Amino acid sequence: MYRYIFRRFLYMLLIVWLTSVVSFMINQLPAGDYVTSLATAYARSGRDIDQAKLDNLRHQFGLDRPVYEQYFHWAANVLQGDWGWSFRLKQSVVEAVGDRVGLTAAITISTLLLTYIVAIPIGIYSATHQYSKMDYLFMFTGFMGMAMPAFLVALILMFIFLNAGLGVGGLFSPEYMRAPWSTGKVIDLLKHLPLPILIIGLSGTAGLIRIVRASLLDELGKQYVVTARAKGLHETRLIFKDPVRVALNPIASTIGWELPYIVSGGLIVEMVLNLPTTGPLLYQSLITEDIYLATSLLFFLVILTVIGTFISDVVLVIVDPRIRFASREA
């Protein structure tokens, strides 16, 4: 098993490097650069800017170099902890991202935990009580959760939370937005977290309920389960001994795309709720062609995807004995 995990880890490092190249090149595809966007913004506001000054800015930012030189310069700095400079925000990428990564991680991890804690038990119950009233209720709720746009759910829940006197919009109250971290600020953050977690996690929870239910129903219909039930094995032990473990395989394999989806898939919700997370920052950096900030944030999503896939591989090895057997045979 350890050789299997080590091999996956080496693949992970290779993929991270390759995707860093792809992420950087993708940001170079649109015509022009940040200086071009800046000149366009000046022109729209009716102000003129000297071409010599634009050329000087382009040289200062290193945008006049060949693409491969820009990449190697950025990659070398990343290895030293320097993720580049944000042209639009006029600060380093590390400073620009700052608390946004921590807040994004808090929302992501909380949403992921809530999704699995809610979806797995409900999926197991629905599968073991097929066509019951509660099964119909859970399936109806799941379909509604998947069908309703997240921004519409955000608006509805914002109205409900506002009438209940709870925090709505953002992650902090006005008095704590620029205040240093303290016990009061943490408590204020915890008061604002439930709304974005519920909204962002709703669709994923609904989808995972269906996956668990379908996978477990498929396992419960197999011959080994029928034989074990005929031999008088206790129903609870019968269900949780093998069928549930095998049914969790699709769940474990979804961690790889759940992590980046929670970060980037809730972009509209984050903009509606005015959340200080990486999603809106990535959107603005792509619009303004802020190349180093955009590349760093895309690279962050890539790292989340690779880490999620690595976790999926490890969990599958633990959950499914057949994967361990296959790794020993290899």
Side-chain angles (χ1 to χ4, degrees):
M1 181 178 73
Y2 294 107
R3 290 179 59 189
Y4 174 85
I5 293 175
F6 180 70
R7 191 165 60 249
R8 285 290 184 270
F9 181 75
L10 293 180
Y11 293 158
M12 181 179 73
L13 296 180
L14 177 62
I15 291 172
V16 166
W17 174 70
L18 290 175
T19 49
S20 71
V21 176
V22 174
S23 299
F24 195 88
M25 297 305 174
I26 286 176
N27 281 298
Q28 296 281 356
L29 290 179
D33 49 31
Y34 173 75
V35 176
T36 306
S37 301
L38 184 64
T40 303
Y42 269 84
R44 288 176 178 173
S45 62
R47 293 178 292 175
D48 294 328
I49 184 169
D50 186 54
Q51 183 62 40
K53 187 175 182 180
L54 293 177
D55 294 338
N56 183 49
L57 285 174
R58 191 171 281 109
H59 177 72
Q60 179 182 345
F61 294 148
L63 299 176
D64 57 346
R65 300 178 183 175
V67 175
Y68 65 89
E69 283 189 17
Q70 294 184 45
Y71 169 75
F72 284 117
H73 176 73
W74 173 78
N77 288 336
V78 167
L79 293 177
Q80 301 174 25
D82 180 7
W83 290 73
W85 183 264
S86 172
F87 307 138
R88 183 175 64 89
L89 300 178
K90 297 179 177 61
Q91 57 184 169
S92 69
V93 170
V94 175
E95 293 176 351
V97 174
D99 290 339
R100 288 176 181 260
V101 171
L103 295 174
T104 302
I107 294 176
T108 301
I109 295 172
S110 302
T111 303
L112 200 62
L113 290 175
L114 176 68
T115 298
Y116 286 106
I117 289 173
V118 173
I120 293 175
I122 292 178
I124 294 174
Y125 180 89
S126 294
T128 55
H129 297 76
Q130 189 180 17
Y131 303 134
S132 64
K133 292 182 179 179
M134 292 301 296
D135 180 33
Y136 282 121
L137 176 62
F138 288 138
M139 288 301 99
F140 174 77
T141 306
F143 281 121
M144 289 293 293
M146 295 182 67
M148 291 184 65
F151 71 88
L152 178 60
V153 178
L155 294 175
I156 295 173
L157 289 182
M158 285 177 67
F159 177 77
I160 295 174
F161 274 53
L162 184 63
N163 289 334
L166 300 175
V168 175
L171 290 178
F172 299 103
S173 301
E175 62 271 19
Y176 286 108
M177 288 185 65
R178 299 188 179 277
W181 284 99
S182 61
T183 303
K185 187 170 183 177
V186 173
I187 294 174
D188 187 63
L189 172 64
L190 294 177
K191 289 180 180 178
H192 287 78
L193 274 179
L195 184 61
I197 289 174
L198 284 174
I199 297 170
I200 297 174
L202 179 62
S203 177
T205 302
L208 285 178
I209 289 174
R210 296 186 61 209
I211 293 174
V212 174
R213 181 180 183 273
S215 300
L216 187 53
L217 282 174
D218 182 59
E219 287 299 313
L220 292 176
K222 291 185 177 179
Q223 188 62 45
Y224 76 92
V225 177
V226 176
T227 302
R229 186 177 285 121
K231 289 183 176 180
L233 188 65
H234 192 273
E235 189 69 17
T236 302
R237 185 181 177 187
L238 167 66
I239 292 172
F240 285 94
K241 181 176 175 58
D242 286 312
V244 168
R245 289 182 63 187
V246 177
L248 291 180
N249 282 7
I251 302 299
S253 63
T254 61
I255 299 176
W257 52 264
E258 280 287 346
L259 282 175
Y261 171 77
I262 292 173
V263 175
S264 61
L267 173 61
I268 298 179
V269 174
E270 292 170 357
M271 296 179 70
V272 170
L273 296 178
N274 192 28
L275 300 182
T277 52
T278 56
L281 190 64
L282 173 60
Y283 173 76
Q284 290 296 330
S285 64
L286 291 173
I287 291 296
T288 58
E289 298 188 63
D290 196 347
I291 179 173
Y292 295 119
L293 180 58
T295 301
S296 298
L297 290 173
L298 285 175
F299 192 48
F300 173 64
L301 293 179
V302 167
I303 292 175
L304 281 180
T305 304
V306 173
I307 291 176
T309 305
F310 179 71
I311 294 174
S312 297
D313 291 339
V314 175
V315 172
L316 284 172
V317 168
I318 296 172
V319 172
D320 195 338
R322 295 172 296 182
I323 295 177
R324 291 200 294 273
F325 177 79
S327 65
R328 286 199 297 269
E329 286 297 316

